[in-house]
Amino acid sequence: MNHFNTLRLLFLGLVVTLLQSCISQHKITISVLTPAQISLPQHITDVCIINHGIAELTDSNGVYYSFARQLYYDSTKYDTLLSWSVIDGLADGFAASHRLQVAGEPILWPRHPKDKEIFSFISDTLIDSLCPSADANAALIVDKISIFDNFDYFFMDNGLYYMELSALAAVSFQFYDLHNKQWIDQHIFMDTLTYSTYGYSWEKTLATLPGRAELYENIAYDIGKNYAWRLTPGLKTHQRFYYLSNDEDIQKGHEYASQNLWATAARYWIKLTDNKNKRKAYISAFNMAVASEMEGRLDIALYWIDKALEKYYTAEAVNYKTILERRQTNLDLLIEQMRINP
């Protein structure tokens, strides 16, 4: 019996030790201002937007759609909704960095039936006449818009309906330098948008999906915003994580990090960076790197990730260092594109 009790106590002690040393990762999502794909000339700041996505006289651009694996054509008119939603997305995309701004009100240039080319020849004189704003030094043409939507559903054995609504859209853009009289970009931007849902009632489940107009508005807006970020620095979403453990200072730092009080969180995490326990030192140094990045100090973040690697050489730390180095390189390009002093 005594021997059994001794083994039980040893087992319980081992469990407690393992629990105390338990380490987990807390994931976070951040938005990072990222360089544009195209570095524009510095003189381009104000953009005249031309809406060339609406057919003359009437919104006559019908759409293709699929229902239950059958293809149909719908002559319902969506030109206006699509083109102006793209323009709304462009304006909001520019606002992320304020590198570009819209000059005056967008100009409507209706499409003629013969305008079937994706990128047609446009004279300098015509571009100048379409952009009356004296402030404009570039023109952005929202050209041909194509869209296709699909609805599908499945009826499960347990009585559940699974429904999926998706749209595929393509928008042609042309970007022109009014000062140097040259085309900077001619690009077709494609995107997909999908909504899915499930429920036990056909009507109630279907009601949770957006209508076609809302679906088209959302995907057109997203395309406009993402094309704006092709020309100007834009916000990109990234995943990060920091470590959690049962240590009191790690937990306290987590409380403040959860409130985006990263500088305060760092006051607790930094206490353990020189701890004799290499695991604790690694965790706290890694967390310090994350806190530094959240505060916008990439140089300090690189310092702390190197400290973490000195304690423990892990794949997570190596990968994070690569990410930080890439962001540091992007920062130099970002400053150049933004025309600001570091």
Side-chain angles (χ1 to χ4, degrees), residues 95-115:
S97 66
H98 298 286
R99 170 62 179 83
L100 295 178
Q101 60 182 359
V102 179
E105 293 295 324
I107 308 300
L108 177 60
W109 178 27
R111 294 181 63 85
H112 293 277
K114 64 180 181 179
D115 293 339

Side-chain angles (χ1 to χ4, degrees), residues 40-61:
L40 298 178
Q42 292 189 0
H43 69 270
I44 294 182
T45 56
D46 294 78
V47 181
C48 166
I49 295 182
I50 301 171
N51 184 352
H52 193 46
I54 299 179
E56 192 176 30
L57 299 180
T58 61
D59 300 345
S60 58
N61 180 32

Side-chain angles (χ1 to χ4, degrees), residues 28 242 256-257 260-267 269 287 290-291 294-295:
I28 55 176
Y242 58 83
Y256 287 102
N260 284 325
L261 300 173
W262 294 99
T264 305
R267 294 177 188 173
W269 288 338
N287 287 3
V290 176
M294 296 303 104
E295 287 290 297

Side-chain angles (χ1 to χ4, degrees), residues 73-215:
Y73 182 78
D74 189 348
S75 61
T76 304
K77 305 166 182 64
Y78 287 100
D79 293 25
T80 299
L81 173 69
L82 289 167
S83 59
W84 290 108
S85 296
V86 169
I87 291 172
D88 286 342
L90 286 168
D92 288 348
F94 290 162
S97 66
H98 298 286
R99 170 62 179 83
L100 295 178
Q101 60 182 359
V102 179
E105 293 295 324
I107 308 300
L108 177 60
W109 178 27
R111 294 181 63 85
H112 293 277
K114 64 180 181 179
D115 293 339
K116 296 181 180 180
E117 304 84 2
I118 295 176
F119 299 124
S120 57
F121 175 76
I122 304 172
S123 67
D124 296 337
T125 303
L126 178 58
I127 292 290
D128 288 334
S129 67
L130 289 171
C131 291
S133 174
D135 296 327
N137 38 51
L140 174 55
I141 301 174
V142 177
D143 214 331
K144 186 177 180 180
I145 302 175
S146 302
I147 194 161
F148 167 87
D149 66 77
N150 178 71
F151 173 79
D152 215 341
Y153 70 93
F154 304 93
F155 184 68
M156 309 294 186
D157 293 337
N158 58 0
L160 271 175
Y161 286 98
Y162 173 81
M163 299 182 180
E164 188 172 277
L165 176 65
S166 60
L168 168 65
V171 182
S172 303
F173 295 95
Q174 303 191 61
F175 193 75
Y176 182 79
D177 183 340
L178 289 169
H179 177 73
N180 292 324
K181 306 299 181 185
Q182 64 181 14
W183 295 102
I184 293 179
D185 190 41
Q186 292 182 308
H187 183 75
I188 300 174
F189 201 107
M190 300 180 67
D191 199 6
T192 58
L193 181 62
T194 301
Y195 294 91
S196 60
T197 186
Y198 58 88
Y200 286 101
S201 164
W202 171 274
E203 291 79 8
K204 291 181 179 179
T205 306
L206 188 63
T208 62
L209 292 172
R212 175 179 284 178
E214 183 181 351
L215 176 70

Side-chain angles (χ1 to χ4, degrees), residues 275-319:
N275 196 282
K276 293 181 180 179
N277 184 317
K278 287 190 175 183
R279 174 181 280 188
K280 288 185 178 181
Y282 164 80
I283 290 172
S284 54
F286 188 100
N287 287 3
M288 285 295 297
V290 176
S292 300
E293 184 189 13
M294 296 303 104
E295 287 290 297
R297 297 302 306 270
L298 296 177
D299 52 342
I300 297 178
L302 282 165
Y303 167 83
W304 282 115
I305 201 63
D306 282 335
K307 287 293 183 182
L309 284 166
E310 289 176 7
K311 305 298 181 181
Y312 265 104
Y313 194 84
T314 67
E316 291 87 354
V318 171
N319 181 59

